[in-house]
Amino acid sequence: MSSKLFNPAATIKDVAAQAGVSVMTVSNVLRGRGRVSEETRRRVLETAERQGYRPNLTARALVERKAPTLALMLSCITNPFYPEFALAANLQALKHERHLLVCNTDHEPDRGTGFLEQVAGSLSDGVLVANNADLPIDELRALQERGIPVVISVWERPDEPPGIPCVTFDSEGAGRLAAQHLVEYGHRRIGAIVGSPKHGIHGGRYAGFREVVRAAKIRQSTADERFTEDSFEHGYEAAKDLLSARPDLTAIFVSNDLPALGVLNAASDLGFSVPGGLSVVSITDIIPARQSRPGLTTVAIPTAEMAEKGVNLLVELMAGRATEATVVHTSAPKLVVRGSTARLR
Amino acid sequence: MSSKLFNPAATIKDVAAQAGVSVMTVSNVLRGRGRVSEETRRRVLETAERQGYRPNLTARALVERKAPTLALMLSCITNPFYPEFALAANLQALKHERHLLVCNTDHEPDRGTGFLEQVAGSLSDGVLVANNADLPIDELRALQERGIPVVISVWERPDEPPGIPCVTFDSEGAGRLAAQHLVEYGHRRIGAIVGSPKHGIHGGRYAGFREVVRAAKIRQSTADERFTEDSFEHGYEAAKDLLSARPDLTAIFVSNDLPALGVLNAASDLGFSVPGGLSVVSITDIIPARQSRPGLTTVAIPTAEMAEKGVNLLVELMAGRATEATVVHTSAPKLVVRGSTARLR
């Protein structure tokens, strides 16, 4: 049985006439407002259903000064993290009866700015910024100052809130878990490949890693580290460079799964056996992490939860129930051991 | 230098007053309509820029009876084909000054239907349906009959147009190229894993494969074939089943890259060496096809071109310059040889 589609020829006047009520009553029933008897409510809904009438969301948005969409800004839809995040955000937005307008900035800040100019406050009345969306924080603050609700999910520095409502996770804890796993497996010669500058977006993950390595009295120098960009290709190139310079490493910490998958390929191309000759651990747990051979040992962060809480926070903010200082935390990261790590022989 | 964001307090009246022209003239300039002198045009644009005025797209949509978005329906955003398609569609829509509303049906037809009810004809005035979006063709025809512009991209049966404007590619040609590659490499014991029923969405790809196999006088029976679903996991399971039953196969044709990546893992888990002991070829050329080890030999189809032509066709249709019978073809598929295929030893 197929669902009934809407009939664009039907109007609210038709529904009111057929149901024998005023246009205002139909409007109240469909928007769940005002006082209407149960009997009238049912008659209006049945009439609207029979006529295939659906309120025009664009028109309603204008009347209510409310847009029917939320905007999601992300930096790169072909990075597998973002489709997983966007899917969860999409489903959560639907629960709030909003559609999700996805803007892919594609690492071009101008594109994000252009999108915000056209969308924020008109087509969408709230903006969710996924981390790494290439927008200067000052532009987000300017948007906020103009009264446009903005939420950042994910903010990786829970201790240094951005002055914009945000969803965070324990990025240092994730880095510590990954490092502890390597230390417990007996590794002492450990390299690091970080998908951002040292104090950039993966700075918290790196700081957690360094804390554990230092506590274990493992000597580590800048020769063991590479700071690069957060992509498969950059992970591949950084690992080729690092492993050529330091073939004695027995393990590599990578700050994110996508570059870590590139590291696995580089190791394979250079003749390193993973995990026999080299262990690789990273952070996130995107779908391809479990599809690679060997499977990638990684610290899972709660991607869907971060998206859902981001949407919820945006809705709360629009309702005046959150402030610029609101910080929402998510579940603790968890180590997922797969085939890319082994005890040092 | 950061770009200037819009100032929601600025109105078209302010711009008109400052520029010393009528509201109608400002509107004409911003919409590129009517006759306006070059000098006036420049003054209006400079004034609008200085005041941070941007026309409200939602309001303009109502005035023009035109929505500022196009809707893209797809079945599964975490299938890597769709983000690649969505990115190209997004950029192309921006060229037409439209944003793209992405609806992920997630293999639930009801979700697609619900989205269409709310969006088609109001928030979006055109719908682009990516193949496999899980919507019965009858619902799309019903939408079309109600006057909502609908385009299908990609339709895999160029010889059997759906009665809805569509973008196609030579799916049989793609299947032939993949099969020819295996035959030229000397393979005679070839299995097939198809990500749909025999006459389903991959039916054209399978028919092309069969044509070449038959012409090469290769014996093939249903024992060599598995018809399954279009996912990594289904490809993995089908290959485990097929290779356990027919360990003498030297090559497998897979109708799509995502299940083919699952086939590579199944081969590895069963101890088959690819390509030494087993060659695997498929169709599409998604990004992970070149990231896998071995790289996946595949027949590249023009994903970005299909998305761009789909958006263009939708815009043409909305302008009355295409009909229900319009079929737009795309560039010929091309074989990309990587490490997953080898000559039979």
Side-chain angles (χ1 to χ4, degrees):
Chain A
M1 203 182 70
S2 85
S3 303
K4 215 175 173 183
L5 285 178
F6 89 112
N7 169 14
T11 69
I12 193 166
K13 283 186 189 172
D14 300 333
V15 176
Q18 278 278 328
V21 298
S22 70
V23 165
M24 180 65 85
T25 300
V26 176
S27 176
N28 281 343
V29 168
L30 295 179
R31 286 149 65 181
R33 295 186 180 174
R35 287 195 203 167
V36 185
S37 75
E38 182 53 29
E39 195 261 326
T40 303
R41 204 183 70 85
R42 190 174 308 156
R43 195 166 72 245
V44 167
L45 289 177
E46 284 170 1
T47 308
E49 172 71 14
R50 201 167 54 241
Q51 300 198 350
Y53 173 74
R54 295 285 181 287
N56 181 313
L57 285 180
T58 310
R60 198 172 77 182
L62 267 188
V63 171
E64 299 188 356
R65 303 185 70 80
K66 182 183 113 172
T69 73
L70 303 177
L72 170 64
M73 312 209 58
L74 45 83
S75 56
C76 185
I77 190 73
T78 56
N79 170 339
F81 173 78
Y82 290 107
E84 296 177 32
F85 186 95
L87 175 58
N90 195 346
L91 297 181
Q92 193 65 17
L94 285 175
K95 287 185 186 163
H96 294 287
E97 301 188 321
R98 302 288 187 118
H99 296 289
L100 198 67
L101 253 182
V102 178
C103 172
N104 185 81
T105 60
D106 206 21
H107 302 301
E108 294 191 19
D110 283 356
R111 187 169 298 143
T113 304
F115 179 80
L116 288 175
E117 283 182 4
Q118 293 200 354
V119 160
S122 59
L123 196 57
S124 297
D125 53 12
V127 180
L128 181 62
V129 180
N131 63 340
N132 228 351
D134 303 318
L135 282 171
I137 197 94
D138 286 347
E139 284 207 12
L140 299 180
R141 289 209 189 93
L143 207 65
Q144 180 173 264
E145 277 158 23
R146 287 184 179 88
I148 310 290
V150 183
V151 162
I152 298 179
S153 179
V154 199
W155 182 256
E156 300 217 3
R157 299 280 199 168
D159 301 332
E160 302 165 31
I164 292 172
C166 64
V167 177
T168 71
F169 77 100
D170 181 7
S171 60
E172 292 195 18
R176 281 194 299 268
L177 276 180
Q180 270 155 8
H181 175 60
L182 295 180
V183 169
E184 280 167 15
Y185 269 13
H187 295 280
R188 306 286 300 174
R189 293 198 301 278
I190 303 174
I193 292 175
V194 181
S196 79
K198 190 177 282 198
H199 300 286
I201 191 151
H202 291 168
R205 305 177 186 199
Y206 171 71
F209 161 77
R210 285 287 299 162
E211 191 187 318
V212 168
V213 162
R214 217 177 291 122
K217 303 211 161 46
I218 290 173
R219 277 217 318 210
Q220 241 219 349
S221 75
T222 53
D224 312 320
E225 301 174 340
R226 294 292 181 279
F227 294 91
T228 183
E229 292 178 35
D230 184 24
S231 76
F232 182 95
E233 289 76 14
H234 283 91
Y236 180 87
E237 293 301 332
K240 271 204 148 172
D241 184 47
L242 178 61
L243 287 171
S244 302
R246 295 291 318 274
D248 58 317
L249 293 177
T250 67
I252 299 182
F253 160 84
V254 192
S255 66
N256 209 15
D257 284 355
L258 193 57
L261 294 169
V263 170
L264 291 184
N265 274 14
S268 161
D269 289 357
L270 288 175
F272 286 81
S273 155
V274 176
L278 183 76
S279 283
V280 176
V281 67
S282 78
I283 296 172
T284 305
D285 202 21
I286 56 178
I287 291 172
R290 52 179 182 267
Q291 295 175 343
S292 80
R293 283 297 183 274
L296 185 62
T297 294
T298 191
V299 175
I301 60 177
T303 304
E305 182 188 344
M306 294 182 313
E308 288 157 11
K309 287 191 167 170
V311 169
N312 290 349
L313 178 55
L314 186 53
V315 170
E316 290 291 296
L317 182 68
M318 294 187 306
R321 291 192 296 264
T323 75
E324 295 171 9
T326 304
V327 175
V328 173
H329 298 271
T330 53
S331 308
K334 279 179 197 153
L335 179 71
V336 181
V337 180
R338 298 200 181 96
S340 69
T341 49
R343 288 185 187 282
L344 188 67
R345 285 182 295 198
Chain B
M1 204 182 72
S2 85
S3 301
K4 211 173 175 185
L5 284 178
F6 89 113
N7 169 15
T11 68
I12 194 166
K13 281 186 191 173
D14 300 333
V15 176
Q18 277 279 328
V21 298
S22 70
V23 165
M24 179 66 83
T25 300
V26 176
S27 176
N28 281 343
V29 168
L30 295 178
R31 285 148 67 182
R33 295 185 182 175
R35 287 197 203 163
V36 186
S37 75
E38 182 53 28
E39 196 262 324
T40 304
R41 203 182 71 84
R42 190 174 308 155
R43 195 168 70 245
V44 167
L45 290 177
E46 284 169 2
T47 308
E49 172 71 13
R50 200 168 52 240
Q51 300 199 350
Y53 173 75
R54 294 287 181 285
N56 181 313
L57 285 180
T58 311
R60 198 172 77 182
L62 267 189
V63 171
E64 299 188 357
R65 305 185 70 79
K66 182 182 113 175
T69 73
L70 303 177
L72 170 64
M73 312 208 59
L74 45 82
S75 56
C76 185
I77 190 72
T78 56
N79 171 338
F81 173 78
Y82 290 107
E84 296 178 31
F85 186 95
L87 174 58
N90 195 343
L91 296 181
Q92 193 64 16
L94 285 176
K95 289 186 185 163
H96 293 288
E97 301 187 320
R98 303 288 188 119
H99 295 290
L100 199 67
L101 253 184
V102 178
C103 171
N104 185 80
T105 60
D106 206 22
H107 302 300
E108 293 190 20
D110 282 357
R111 186 168 299 146
T113 304
F115 178 79
L116 287 175
E117 283 181 3
Q118 292 200 357
V119 160
S122 59
L123 196 58
S124 297
D125 53 11
V127 180
L128 180 62
V129 180
N131 63 341
N132 228 353
D134 303 318
L135 283 170
I137 196 93
D138 286 348
E139 283 206 13
L140 298 180
R141 289 210 188 92
L143 207 63
Q144 179 173 264
E145 278 159 21
R146 287 184 179 90
I148 309 290
V150 183
V151 162
I152 299 178
S153 179
V154 201
W155 183 255
E156 300 217 4
R157 297 281 200 167
D159 301 332
E160 302 165 31
I164 293 173
C166 64
V167 176
T168 72
F169 77 100
D170 181 9
S171 61
E172 292 197 15
R176 282 194 298 267
L177 276 179
Q180 270 155 7
H181 175 60
L182 295 179
V183 170
E184 280 167 15
Y185 269 13
H187 295 280
R188 307 285 300 173
R189 294 198 301 277
I190 304 174
I193 292 175
V194 181
S196 79
K198 191 178 283 198
H199 300 287
I201 191 152
H202 291 169
R205 306 176 185 200
Y206 172 71
F209 161 77
R210 284 288 298 161
E211 192 187 316
V212 168
V213 162
R214 217 177 290 119
K217 303 210 161 47
I218 290 172
R219 276 214 322 209
Q220 242 220 348
S221 76
T222 53
D224 313 318
E225 300 175 341
R226 293 294 181 278
F227 294 91
T228 182
E229 291 176 36
D230 185 23
S231 76
F232 182 96
E233 290 75 15
H234 283 91
Y236 180 87
E237 292 301 332
K240 271 205 149 171
D241 183 48
L242 178 60
L243 287 170
S244 303
R246 292 291 318 275
D248 58 318
L249 293 177
T250 67
I252 300 182
F253 160 84
V254 193
S255 66
N256 210 12
D257 285 355
L258 193 57
L261 292 169
V263 170
L264 290 184
N265 275 13
S268 161
D269 289 356
L270 289 175
F272 285 81
S273 155
V274 175
L278 183 75
S279 284
V280 176
V281 66
S282 79
I283 295 172
T284 306
D285 201 19
I286 56 178
I287 291 173
R290 53 177 181 266
Q291 295 175 342
S292 81
R293 283 296 184 273
L296 185 62
T297 295
T298 190
V299 175
I301 60 176
T303 303
E305 181 188 345
M306 294 182 313
E308 288 156 13
K309 288 191 166 172
V311 169
N312 290 348
L313 178 56
L314 186 53
V315 170
E316 290 291 296
L317 182 69
M318 293 187 306
R321 291 191 296 264
T323 74
E324 295 172 9
T326 303
V327 176
V328 173
H329 299 271
T330 54
S331 307
K334 279 178 197 153
L335 180 70
V336 180
V337 179
R338 297 198 182 95
S340 70
T341 50
R343 288 185 188 281
L344 188 67
R345 287 181 294 200

